Structures are given as structure tokens and as C-alpha cells.
Amino acid sequence: MKMVLKNQTRENLAERIYRQLKQDIFDFRLLPGDRFSENEIAERMGASRTPVREALFRLEREDYVEVLARSGWQVKPFDFKYFEELYDVRIVLECAAVRRLCEQNGPTPQLEALTALWSTPKEDRPRQVGPVSALDERFHEILVEAAGNQEMARIHHDLTERLRIIRRLDFTKPPRIDATYQEHAAILDAIAHRRVDQAQMLLRAHIEASRNEVRKITLHMLHEARAHGRASGTSGVGPR
């Protein structure tokens, strides 16, 4: 019994460390290319190296970090071709979902809720990167989920997580927040009126506007995003 409890405690700790490190990457507290050691993470997390190592190997399998020979770990540098390919797949999935939505009979409660949310007056909209990014993710996930294909939704959810850091960078620019509200509202209106071609065209343009930001990312932008996160009061594991 004690052995089982001990294993469960270690697994829970490894899960907590995994989630914290992943969030640190998404929130730019750990940037692509940042290096760190298992001992540093263990000390900051108040844990032994065993759960830290388990968390890091899990992140390695998901392509967020890589181990360096005799010099610890590193957040994987951006692979811009990889991200652009993910965007290509995302466009295919979401356009297929929009077609299915336009073919459905009558509005769904999910889409009606989205329409109300993305019609929020300008003065009442959130302005912080985290909340806006989370709302944007859910908008696109709900579009796919509402189409009714569970496997499509699962694949799309995985894409969403892999693209999260890129999409959050998009919202560090205030004009993109209002543009996103306008673009989402237009997409939903086209779906509501069963205008398949228009809805797909608007959606494709919306996603490609975000994808274009991938080509503009510089190290300076990443450091600015980290500074913005610190100014907002976030905290986590920093680089060495």
C-alpha cells in the first residue's frame, strides 16, 4: 500500500512539473533556445530529479524540449517550416468543419453562444494576451467540435496545442485583438446564412493572417513577450 501511494505521489508531482514547464513555454517564461539543468528545475520546483526527469522526457516526446549531451536541456528552437505545415493542416480541417456546419439544419446552441461572445462591445473585451488567446482557441475548437466528427476534433485539438505559442504571439499586438473579434463575427454570420464559400474564404484569410506572423517572429519579439508576461505578474521557471 505504501509503495502504491509513493508511486502515485511521484506521478502526481511529475504531472505538476510537466504542466508548469509546458505553461512556462506557452507564457514565454522559457523561450526557444533557453537552456536549463534538471537540478535547476528540481530546486525551483522543490522536488527530486526523478519526477523532473519524467516531466522533461514527456515534454521531449511532445517536441517542446531536447536533451543536450552533457549540458542539460534546451527548449527546442522554432522550426518555422513545421509550424507552417501545421497551419496548412489546420486550414484543411477547419474549412471542412465549416462546410459541415453550413449543411446542418438550423443554428446550434454552440454557435449561438459563440455569436454572442464574439459580438461583445469593444469596451468590454479582454485585452490581456492569455485570456484573448484562450478565447480564440476555443472559438476554433468549438467550430470543429460542432461539426460532429470526434476524430477530426481530436486531431484539431492536438494541432491547437502545438500552435499555441505562435498564436499567443499574435495577440501581443493590440490591433490583432479587435481584428479577431471582427473576423470571428463575420465567419459566424456567413455560417448562420449557410454561405459556404464565403465562410471558408473568411476563415482561410483569418488563419493565414495568423500564419503570416510566424514569418515575422524575431528573438526581440520573444523577449518582448517574456517582458510583457513578467509585467502582468506571471511567474515560473526562468532560463539560466
Side-chain angles (χ1 to χ4, degrees), residues 36-53:
F36 52 87
S37 70
E38 292 177 8
N39 285 335
E40 287 172 330
I41 302 299
E43 182 178 347
R44 291 169 185 169
M45 295 289 186
S48 68
R49 288 178 59 186
T50 299
V52 168
R53 191 177 297 114

Side-chain angles (χ1 to χ4, degrees), residues 23 27 126-136 168 171 228 232:
Q23 196 61 48
D27 288 342
R127 293 290 165 185
Q128 292 182 316
V129 173
V132 176
S133 180
L135 287 173
D136 176 65
R168 287 180 70 112
F171 292 114
H228 180 80
S232 300

